[in-house]
Amino acid sequence: MDKKSKAIVYLVGAGPGDLGLLTVRARELISEADAIVYDKLANPALLEWSRPDAKKIYVGKSAGQHSIPQSEIQAILLKEAEAGLKVVRLKGGDPFIFGRGGEEIEFLHQKGISFEIVPGVTAALGAAAYAGIPLSHRAFSSAITFLTGHEDPDKQALQLDFREHARNGSTLCIYMGVGQLPRIVSELLEGGLDESTPATIIQWATLPQQASFNSTLGKLVEDHQASEVSAPAIIIIGQAVSYPARNNWFAARPLFGKRIVVTRAREQAGRLTQLLIAQGAEVIELPFIKVETKFDPQTLTEVFAELAVYEWIVFTSANGVRIFFELLLKAYPDIRCLGPMRIAAVGRATAEAIEAYNLKVDLIPNKANGDALVDDLIENEGVESVKMLVVTGNLNRKTLSTRLENEGRAIVDTLQLYATHRTDLSDNPQAKRYREQGADAILFTSASTVQSFIEQKHALKLEPDARQPALASIGPMTTAALKKNNLTVDFEAAKSNLEHYVVETISYLNHHKNNQ
Ligand code: SAH
């Protein structure tokens, strides 16, 4: 096939913002695409699903500038498709609802390029669902109307006559309307819609920063001026808005409106983030440390060839586990090559990473450190001159092997599989967001995360208007590290586990509202 006949563009709806609202098909296409052309309202976090080598082309407005003209976007789609790339055109919401999807397929059709369309959750549906508004209801609304304040976001001219939509009893969902609000409201009133009709404006629907207020048609302009709600926002007008059983469940979650910093590249960070998001928080993940796979190929080959001779294998981190099994299963695609060796893990998170391969962990010391492991190996397991493999990174101290070897308990081979580097946060987008907006709390999860925070202080200096965060500690060691650096600990988890940490965070932040 020549390049042109292979060319295909997928017009994919990216939904209103929440990453959970994309279709399975959309996620599949994003992860396979050679090129992704995306605009402002598609959540940029979606790009993390893409291949690292995929071309990512931003065609939205940047601050203070106009959008890239539609003709230019189309030229980009054509160029990438004709180069034989599998192109995903990501559009906020649904591609065919006020998204110029029609114009794009018309163009592709003219140029003889194939296309497919993947629908998305349009903003009105996302906003209504997350604000608990039933858009249709047997008792009060049997129609739903999607309207646009202006056909083209760059054009201020109002093209629709809203009077025509005032008397049909439908729930009105108005896109791109906040800039034209006074005219829209007066036309609806002129058209005969009662000023007591319930109305709401919802900004950044489905995202942690979702903001809204409730009003009536008659007071909407005034209430909007008094609010901080602005574009991008959906206006919803109709009896559905004041539906008695309406439950603003999304905004009612305990950490809604709270911005929380967690540190990344620690094995538990992903889970902590998930737990916080589930409670409604907006999470900033600061990647203090970067983990890079790094090993000596010769040593690796030797270790793998001799694997059967080890009586024990010790893993010191989840990263070590992940990289070890990736490499092992590439070399020998059968887990039985591990042989009958016993397995030890420093820490629960490391053990969980091993268990994910359906392997049983024989030993996890009570405390997550090398010394505790050595004590257990000697006292409980009675190891004596055993052959042992320790899988580590570059930061692991030598205590483990030195003590075991000095006491004649083990002959230790160390397999170093990765190196950790400090990241430069000055250009990191998450760190930038933290500097500009601040946070309600920073959740430190270990003494080393405190240390990294201190070392990166210059890149984390808050701007004057940013929220001042509370500093939180997961347990006594972390608290000691904060105090040693003269930092005040605002709260500490009663038990050192992530669930308790989240409960403590909810309790602290809900009792210290003036913090914001
Ligand atoms: N194709 C998109 C609409 C694009 S027009 C869709 O189907 O949703 C852009 C307008 O959509 C914005 O001005 C705003 O009115 C609305 N919009 C998009 N995302 C939104 C969000 N998360 N919250 C509220 N309104 C949103």
Side-chain angles (χ1 to χ4, degrees), residues 60-177:
K61 242 186 254 192
S62 48
Q65 286 180 335
H66 280 289
S67 321
I68 297 192
Q70 188 62 25
S71 57
E72 212 171 295
I73 297 176
Q74 288 165 351
I76 292 172
L77 294 178
L78 182 66
K79 179 170 153 251
E80 302 302 334
E82 283 188 331
L85 302 188
K86 186 168 176 181
V87 182
V88 165
R89 167 74 173 116
L90 262 186
K91 291 170 111 26
D94 180 89
F96 281 172
I97 297 185
F98 308 133
R100 307 184 77 163
E103 288 163 59
E104 287 178 19
I105 60 166
E106 192 182 321
F107 171 82
L108 294 168
H109 176 73
Q110 276 169 8
K111 299 288 174 186
I113 305 275
S114 317
F115 56 83
E116 287 181 19
I117 295 132
V118 181
V121 172
T122 190
L125 300 189
Y130 280 45
I133 299 169
L135 290 178
S136 76
H137 192 288
R138 283 194 302 169
F140 46 74
S141 175
S142 299
I144 304 161
T145 311
F146 291 172
L147 303 157
T148 166
H150 39 90
E151 311 280 313
D152 180 334
D154 289 334
K155 265 194 226 144
Q156 290 305 308
L158 195 65
Q159 319 220 343
L160 262 181
D161 184 348
F162 280 80
R163 284 172 298 197
E164 288 169 14
H165 298 277
R167 297 179 70 97
N168 59 9
S170 91
T171 307
L172 306 179
C173 304
I174 306 167
Y175 291 67
M176 295 178 275

Side-chain angles (χ1 to χ4, degrees), residues 275-397:
L275 291 172
L276 292 166
I277 289 177
Q279 298 296 331
E282 176 185 352
V283 176
I284 296 187
E285 284 188 330
L286 289 182
F288 285 136
I289 289 166
K290 197 165 73 200
V291 175
E292 181 190 47
T293 302
K294 193 177 172 194
F295 56 85
D296 172 33
Q298 174 89 28
T299 314
L300 186 78
T301 313
E302 282 168 17
V303 165
F304 280 177
E306 300 277 304
L307 216 45
V309 306
Y310 296 108
E311 289 157 73
W312 277 93
I313 181 166
V314 176
F315 291 97
T316 59
S317 69
N319 283 319
V321 173
R322 180 177 53 81
I323 300 168
F324 179 84
F325 284 105
E326 266 169 30
L327 294 168
L328 183 73
L329 295 173
K330 213 190 283 166
Y332 307 94
D334 183 342
I335 199 79
R336 284 173 294 183
C337 65
L338 266 185
M341 62 169 65
R342 309 196 71 203
I343 302 176
V346 179
R348 198 56 250 163
T350 311
E352 277 170 17
I354 300 168
E355 285 158 4
Y357 290 92
N358 290 328
L359 291 166
K360 191 168 150 289
V361 180
D362 300 287
L363 178 65
I364 311 166
N366 275 337
K367 284 194 184 155
N369 67 50
D371 265 324
L373 180 77
V374 175
D375 291 344
D376 268 8
L377 280 168
I378 296 174
E379 284 156 31
N380 301 333
E381 301 288 333
V383 296
E384 205 59 72
S385 313
V386 297
K387 234 356 224 146
M388 183 178 288
L389 178 66
V390 178
V391 179
T392 66
N394 61 338
L395 285 185
N396 288 94
R397 281 166 282 127

Side-chain angles (χ1 to χ4, degrees), residues 422-444:
R422 202 186 310 158
T423 31
D424 178 6
L425 287 183
S426 12
D427 292 332
N428 180 283
Q430 298 265 1
K432 181 165 177 276
R433 201 163 115 218
Y434 172 72
R435 287 194 297 269
E436 289 171 2
Q437 305 180 344
D440 296 285
I442 304 182
L443 304 192
F444 291 103

Side-chain angles (χ1 to χ4, degrees), residues 38-78:
Y38 65 106
D39 49 27
K40 191 168 159 212
L41 287 171
N43 187 338
L46 293 170
L47 299 177
E48 286 175 21
W49 295 342
S50 66
R51 295 197 332 243
D53 60 331
K55 243 173 146 174
K56 289 143 199 135
I57 305 167
Y58 179 68
V59 293
K61 242 186 254 192
S62 48
Q65 286 180 335
H66 280 289
S67 321
I68 297 192
Q70 188 62 25
S71 57
E72 212 171 295
I73 297 176
Q74 288 165 351
I76 292 172
L77 294 178
L78 182 66

